[in-house]
Amino acid sequence: MLKTPLFEQHEKLFAKFAPFAGWQMPVQYSGIINEHFHCRKLASVFDICHMGEFFVKAEPEKSGMENIFLFSSKVKDIPVKKAKYGVILNEQGKILDDLVVYRLSEDEWMVVVNAATTEKDFLHIQANLGKDALLENRTDKIGKIDLQGPLSRDILSELFGPRINELRYYAFDYFDILGEKSIISRTGYTGELGYEIYVSYEKIGDLWSLLLKDERVKPAGLGARDTLRLEMGYVLYGQDISEEISPLEAGMKNITLDKEFIGKDALLVEKEAGLKKGLVAIRSGSRRSPRHDYRIFSQDKEIGRITSGSFSPSLGCGIALGYVEPAAVKKDLPVSIQDKSVKIDAVITEKPFLKETSLKK
């Protein structure tokens, strides 16, 4: 089992660990509910060193990058110092991974991928990039810490200067962090105002300690990260999206079909034939929480399965994502969630579950 360079710091904080994507990761410190609310109200740090970072030096159109990466715009149109959330697909139009790509300069890019798919993604990108393109996997050199929460901007501007205040949503810039030229991006996956910080493995421990010296900052584990992202309706690779799911089924409206890319033909056929299922958000009428693989019923007919489910600390009820028959992708449709002796009354609702956050303030 792999350990991040922050493993000893987590042990000193009495973290509870669990295996995740081949890594021994902190799940919680003071408790998932406490960590969840601390992030929503103040600011929390997350160890995200397990994720993968690739660096590409290539011209977008000539190198084949447009064929590999699928965003709301073409790769070539992403401005320098901007990031984009998107996906890479296989020939069948299914999702190999979701990722964020940063345009470092006119012909340099940083690609941030999920931990469980790092090796697979690298081989896929390598196989489909042109011969003139350079691709390097720096996953074991780059450390990543997320600072998320309404106070994250104030905290980082005090540490690294007022230029932090200039970063707009999904923009990034370079800052001097502990003597290194490092990237800070205004991105994240909690739904709060937040930042992702990339430094070397050598500096990551010092950065973690520096952030935690601020009494407004507390550590948060994967447990809180999951409830935070689910309240926003954000999908998790391996649960809500996978090589069995297309971006059309997942309702990813942030992709353009206005270019050639791997999997496009399959998506066009799927679109023409009609989808066989669609992703929906479901809110239970009680504190009972739907769980992964619970069955979804409309009246007495089984119409789908839950992919992610949890108790929502902010809303005080169970929330979930799941796939249902196309006819059931309908707001306010009453459903029941069932598993053996469990039956939860619920309703299909719209995303995000949590409407008011500091995300874009």
Side-chain angles (χ1 to χ4, degrees), residues 13-14 34 43 50 88 98 110 124 139 157 164 173 200 218 236 247 276 280 295 298 319 324 333 339 356:
L13 292 167
F14 304 105
N34 285 341
H50 58 310
I88 52 177
D98 62 339
M110 179 172 72
H124 176 79
T139 300
S157 65
I164 290 290
D173 211 336
S200 70
K218 301 292 182 187
L236 178 65
K276 295 181 179 177
V280 292
R295 295 177 295 167
S298 174
I319 56 174
V324 297
L333 179 72
D339 181 67
E356 297 294 329

Side-chain angles (χ1 to χ4, degrees), residues 95 170 262 305 322 355:
I95 302 171
Y170 264 74
I262 296 168
R305 296 268 178 160
K355 309 297 184 189

Side-chain angles (χ1 to χ4, degrees), residues 178-242:
L178 302 169
E180 283 187 351
K181 182 183 177 184
S182 306
I183 288 175
I184 299 180
S185 61
R186 191 180 153 186
T187 49
Y189 220 58
T190 63
E192 297 297 336
L193 170 67
Y195 300 85
E196 298 183 281
I197 310 170
Y198 299 84
V199 300
S200 70
Y201 256 39
E202 289 73 23
K203 296 290 186 181
I204 196 75
D206 292 339
L207 175 61
W208 177 265
S209 300
L210 178 64
L211 292 169
L212 284 176
K213 284 181 181 176
D214 191 313
E215 63 182 13
R216 296 168 291 183
V217 179
K218 301 292 182 187
L222 292 182
R225 183 176 169 84
D226 198 50
T227 55
L228 290 160
R229 69 94 188 166
L230 189 54
E231 285 185 347
M232 296 304 294
Y234 295 157
V235 294
L236 178 65
Y237 194 84
Q239 286 189 197
D240 308 307
I241 54 175
S242 68

Side-chain angles (χ1 to χ4, degrees), residues 48 118 126 134 148 156 200 210 248 310:
I48 315 293
T118 299
Q126 186 180 50
L134 299 177
Q148 301 279 301
L156 290 186
S200 70
L210 178 64
L248 300 180
S310 178

Side-chain angles (χ1 to χ4, degrees), residues 2 13 16 54 69 74 93 124 135 139 147 151 158 169 182 187 195 208 213 215 225 259 284 330 339 347:
L2 298 169
L13 292 167
K16 293 180 180 177
F54 309 147
F69 301 106
K74 293 182 179 179
H124 176 79
L135 172 66
T139 300
L147 183 71
L151 300 187
E158 290 172 19
Y169 190 50
S182 306
T187 49
Y195 300 85
W208 177 265
K213 284 181 181 176
E215 63 182 13
R225 183 176 169 84
K259 67 172 188 175
S284 79
K330 189 183 301 181
D339 181 67
V347 63

Side-chain angles (χ1 to χ4, degrees), residues 36-37 231 283 311-319 352-355:
H36 180 102
F37 281 123
E231 285 185 347
R283 178 170 177 161
F311 173 72
S312 164
S314 301
L315 302 173
C317 64
I319 56 174
F353 295 99
L354 189 63
K355 309 297 184 189

